[in-house]
Amino acid sequence: MAIDDAGATDGAARTREHLDSRLIDASLAVAMTLVIALVIAADSAQTSPFPGLVWAAGFGALMLLRRHLPIIVLTVTVLGIFAYYALDLPPIGMVLPAVGALYSTAELRRTSWAVIGAAVLVAVSSFFRFDDLDPRAHLTGYGFVTELALAAAAIALGSVVRLVRHTRAQAAHIAALTAAEQARAAASRMQAQRMRIARDLHDTIGHTLSVAALHTSVAAEARDPEEAAAALERVRSATSEALRELRGTVKVLRDEPLDRAPAATLGLASLEQVAESARAAGLEVSAEVDVDPARLPRDVDAVAFRIVQESMTNVLRHSTATQVAIAIGLDGTELVLDIADDGTGPAHDPVEGTGIRGMRERVHLLGGDFAAGPGEGGFTVRARLPAGPPADDEESP
């Protein structure tokens, strides 16, 4: 339906443009006829102006063909002027009847032909003016300067109109290209934003559901009421935190004002929470962090945390690991992360899943390197992130 509407709009615009051009040509034809008729009527020596008026109508009618046959119209007009004077009709000037043809020829990118036509007319007019023995010298009614100025003005006006039209077309084309580029940039930003939100939701919800599923199983199998209550409390805590993050994300998507200050972006300072959740699920987790998270750029800190969180989620959901070792430190200007487990299972399938693909995208967005695959006795995730000077105003990816 939208395509049909666009086609109808374009068709209406073309029809309107066609009608406007026809109206301009008709107006120019009428104007040429009237001007030449007034000059003929002003000649008191002419007893019957009718033949001259017929020629005036003919010169005007040629303007109706000026867009399609500009050179032919100019040639016929010049020859018609010569024939007009050969019939000893009232003087109307050599250039005046050709003003419309000269203007049209220059407007339609035939400026050289317009210059040649004007030169021929001015030359013939000058020749008869200086030939005192020829009575037609007195029939021109215009001086040399007037004829030349009139021809130059017609050609210049046609060229200016053509240049203005070309400039407007170029401006419209540039505006269309700019609008298209802005639309592509907006779509690209929107896609990047969607991907970022999708990664955040996948990491947060995936990790929370994995922890909740494990502790729910523990609570279901526990014989000690206190142990079951502790497992359910861990489920409640994990789901509450996930719900808080989900609400914040939904408010951002809806562009709603937050009713309180937004929580700080999760980073390596929150790493112990992830480790404790994994320990509560039965994993032995060792974490060595040899870098101050406060000295890292915010986006690097957030990506590092998400990589650790997603790696722990994969271990909990897909592998049979019992031990996980996390090592984070600086190597020159790069932050290096190593997460290794001792398990086997679907997590070690060479086919890359959504979680690993999301981690790889995060790292590559920051210009880092990422690798994940079977290691010595288990599965290893390694990432290297550029850790330049901290930037408090950067947005986490």
Side-chain angles (χ1 to χ4, degrees):
M1 186 65 179
I3 295 178
D4 293 340
D5 292 342
T9 302
D10 293 341
R14 286 193 295 268
T15 301
R16 185 166 52 252
E17 181 180 357
H18 183 68
L19 292 176
D20 290 343
S21 63
R22 287 290 186 88
L23 181 60
I24 292 174
D25 293 347
S27 300
L28 184 58
V30 172
M32 287 296 303
T33 302
L34 291 178
V35 169
I36 298 174
L38 288 174
V39 173
I40 294 173
D43 182 28
S44 59
Q46 176 66 35
T47 57
S48 177
F50 181 75
L53 296 179
V54 173
W55 277 86
F59 285 128
L62 288 174
M63 295 297 97
L64 299 176
L65 303 176
R66 70 185 192 91
R67 294 181 185 273
H68 306 289
L69 304 170
I71 298 177
I72 293 178
V73 168
L74 177 62
T75 303
V76 172
T77 300
V78 172
L79 295 177
I81 293 172
F82 295 159
Y84 179 90
Y85 279 106
L87 295 175
D88 196 23
L89 295 174
I92 56 175
M94 293 292 285
V95 174
L96 178 61
V99 165
L102 294 174
Y103 163 80
S104 302
T105 309
E107 181 193 9
L108 299 173
R109 297 179 180 273
R110 301 294 188 271
T111 308
S112 58
W113 285 89
V115 172
I116 293 173
V120 170
L121 291 173
V122 173
V124 171
S125 174
S126 301
F127 172 78
F128 286 113
R129 181 180 297 108
F130 290 111
D131 186 5
D132 293 337
L133 298 179
D134 195 322
R136 288 176 297 179
H138 304 287
L139 300 180
T140 58
Y142 292 90
F144 173 78
V145 175
T146 303
E147 299 275 358
L148 184 62
L150 189 59
I155 296 174
L157 181 59
S159 299
V160 169
V161 170
R162 172 172 48 87
L163 291 176
V164 170
R165 184 184 297 118
H166 177 72
T167 301
R168 288 179 178 174
Q170 288 292 100
H173 182 64
I174 293 174
L177 292 178
T178 302
E181 182 62 27
Q182 290 175 347
R184 284 193 294 268
S188 178
R189 289 193 299 270
M190 185 176 296
Q191 178 65 16
Q193 185 75 351
R194 286 198 299 264
M195 293 297 295
R196 183 186 71 82
I197 294 173
R199 287 192 295 266
D200 286 345
L201 290 177
H202 175 273
D203 293 347
T204 300
I205 303 302
H207 178 75
T208 301
L209 292 180
S210 298
V211 172
L214 288 173
H215 288 301
T216 301
S217 299
V218 171
E221 297 174 1
R223 298 181 179 179
D224 184 358
E226 293 185 359
E227 182 180 355
L232 292 177
E233 176 61 25
R234 293 190 184 96
V235 173
R236 187 198 66 79
S237 177
T239 54
S240 297
E241 178 65 21
L243 185 59
R244 184 187 65 80
E245 289 195 34
L246 183 59
R247 284 174 176 170
T249 302
V250 170
K251 286 186 176 183
V252 171
L253 289 175
R254 290 179 175 176
D255 197 21
E256 295 179 358
L258 297 176
D259 52 6
R260 56 187 173 86
T265 303
L266 292 176
L268 292 179
S270 304
L271 181 62
E272 189 60 27
Q273 298 177 10
V274 178
E276 285 299 327
S277 297
R279 292 189 186 104
L283 286 175
E284 295 182 14
V285 181
S286 62
E288 297 182 3
V289 182
D290 296 332
V291 61
D292 182 6
R295 298 183 60 84
L296 295 173
R298 184 179 300 176
D299 54 356
V300 174
D301 185 30
V303 168
F305 173 80
R306 293 299 188 186
I307 290 174
V308 175
Q309 183 186 53
E310 179 60 24
S311 298
M312 298 301 297
T313 300
N314 288 341
V315 172
L316 292 173
R317 294 177 60 186
H318 302 301
S319 76
T320 59
T322 59
Q323 297 179 353
V324 179
I326 302 172
I328 303 175
L330 288 174
D331 181 11
T333 60
E334 293 184 324
L335 180 68
V336 181
L337 296 90
D338 282 282
I339 302 99
D341 63 59
D342 63 349
T344 59
H348 304 82
D349 194 309
V351 178
E352 188 173 283
T354 303
I356 292 179
R357 185 165 61 250
M359 289 189 285
R360 188 185 305 278
E361 290 173 354
R362 289 181 185 274
V363 173
H364 287 172
L365 283 174
L366 295 181
D369 296 321
F370 177 85
E376 296 180 1
F379 195 80
T380 302
V381 174
R382 292 188 176 90
R384 301 178 71 89
L385 300 171
D392 295 338
D393 57 347
E394 292 182 9
E395 182 182 352
S396 64

